[in-house]
Amino acid sequence: MTDKPANGGLPPYYFRVKDNGALVFRVDAENRQRRLELEQIANVNVNNGAVKPQGDTELSEADRAAIDAWMAARTEELARREVDDILRTVDTLNLAAHWAQAKATDAQLEAVTDRLLMAMHDLRTVLAKKRADRVLGD
């Protein structure tokens, strides 16, 4: 006879993602009522690395290790998504150029031109300054 995995094969922790981090829950499926229970044990902030235990909860080493591993993985995932979002923006700019050249009416161009030009000027200024800083080694 083989042993059943803890929590019926469920992970020991569940992370409910929110804007700046997550609420951390301990998963319990091995209780008397045989219900899946989520006990909130902490609130984490990936922006500043803060981990706040929930109420009187004392985090175990296993809790802290799981939270630290999740925070590291989440930070990497968000960084990958950020770059992917910017690359999609490049595609969107290319689509906008094609739209302006081939499809846009004069009224449509009038509605968007100033805002696009300002945004592109701002972006170009930032990118040129950042490139100069990298080249000069500042």
Side-chain angles (χ1 to χ4, degrees), residues 45-105:
N45 183 319
V46 294
N47 295 333
N48 63 15
V51 176
K52 295 180 183 175
Q54 177 68 25
D56 294 334
T57 303
E58 290 190 32
L59 299 176
S60 69
E61 286 184 31
D63 295 337
R64 189 60 202 223
I67 290 168
D68 290 346
W70 181 87
M71 287 178 68
R74 183 68 177 168
T75 300
E76 289 176 18
E77 180 180 6
L78 292 173
R80 281 192 307 273
R81 285 182 184 177
E82 188 174 44
V83 169
D84 191 50
D85 287 347
I86 298 304
L87 292 173
R88 275 194 230 115
T89 299
V90 172
D91 288 347
T92 301
L93 285 169
N94 285 316
L95 292 170
H98 179 71
W99 169 82
Q101 185 176 34
K103 298 177 183 179
T105 66

Side-chain angles (χ1 to χ4, degrees), residues 2 9 12 18 27 32 55 58 72 78 93 98 116 121:
T2 59
K18 57 183 192 163
V27 177
R32 294 181 125 183
E58 290 190 32
L78 292 173
L93 285 169
H98 179 71
L116 274 171
H121 173 74

